[in-house]
């Protein structure tokens, strides 16, 4: 089972899908709808310096514990923060699909960061 812990639907397209089309259904294989609560990294605000907020990211994330047979789609930043902590159940969108204006509308694969 794959659960989507990003805040938006994940559209998976076949490899034949080319960039540049606004048709969301063209070569669409499946859509993984998001779960109610997305996984986000915790932040610690450290103050400001020259008008820029100093923030530490990645100490923990609001993520369910590992479960046999369950993989989680998360943002790349969440996966990169947690893979070193032993989370080998995380997937990220890979090989993005873009519409005519260059906006990412989906991906061709899911990848497991290692």
């Amino acid at each position: 089972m794959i659960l989507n812990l990003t805040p938006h639907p994940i559209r998976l397209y076949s490899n034949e899908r080319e960039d540049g089309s606004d048709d969301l259904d063209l070569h669409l294989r499946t859509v993984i709808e998001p779960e109610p609560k997305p996984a986000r990294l915790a932040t610690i605000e450290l103050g400001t310096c020259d008008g820029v907020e100093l923030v530490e990211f990645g100490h923990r994330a609001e993520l369910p514990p590992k479960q046999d047979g369950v993989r989680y789609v998360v943002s790349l930043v969440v996966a990169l923060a947690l893979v070193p902590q032993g989370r080998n159940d995380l997937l990220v969108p890979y090989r993005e699909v873009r519409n005519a204006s260059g906006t990412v509308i989906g991906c061709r694969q899911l990848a497991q960061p290692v």
Side-chain angles (χ1 to χ4, degrees), residues 34-114:
E35 295 297 306
K37 187 172 184 180
R40 301 209 186 272
L41 290 181
T43 58
I44 301 172
E45 293 183 359
L46 303 173
T48 58
C49 179
D50 298 324
V52 176
E53 189 72 32
L54 303 175
V55 181
E56 282 186 21
F57 291 92
H59 293 281
R60 62 178 170 72
E62 298 176 8
L63 192 67
K66 285 183 173 182
Q67 298 180 53
D68 287 340
V70 179
R71 315 245 350 234
Y72 302 100
V73 180
V74 297
S75 69
L76 181 57
V77 69
V78 168
L80 292 177
L82 297 179
V83 165
Q85 298 175 19
R87 290 301 297 247
N88 59 359
D89 57 341
L90 304 179
L91 303 172
V92 297
Y94 185 62
R95 298 184 60 226
E96 291 85 5
V97 174
R98 298 179 182 274
N99 66 11
S101 62
T103 302
V104 174
I105 59 168
C107 61
R108 293 175 183 90
Q109 288 180 284
L110 296 174
Q112 179 184 340
V114 294

Side-chain angles (χ1 to χ4, degrees), residues 8-13 17-26 28 96-107:
H8 48 80
I10 300 294
R11 289 181 183 85
L12 285 170
Y13 290 95
R17 171 67 190 233
E18 294 183 11
D19 290 337
S21 173
D22 289 326
D23 181 355
L24 293 179
D25 294 328
L26 183 65
L28 180 66
E96 291 85 5
V97 174
R98 298 179 182 274
N99 66 11
S101 62
T103 302
V104 174
I105 59 168
C107 61

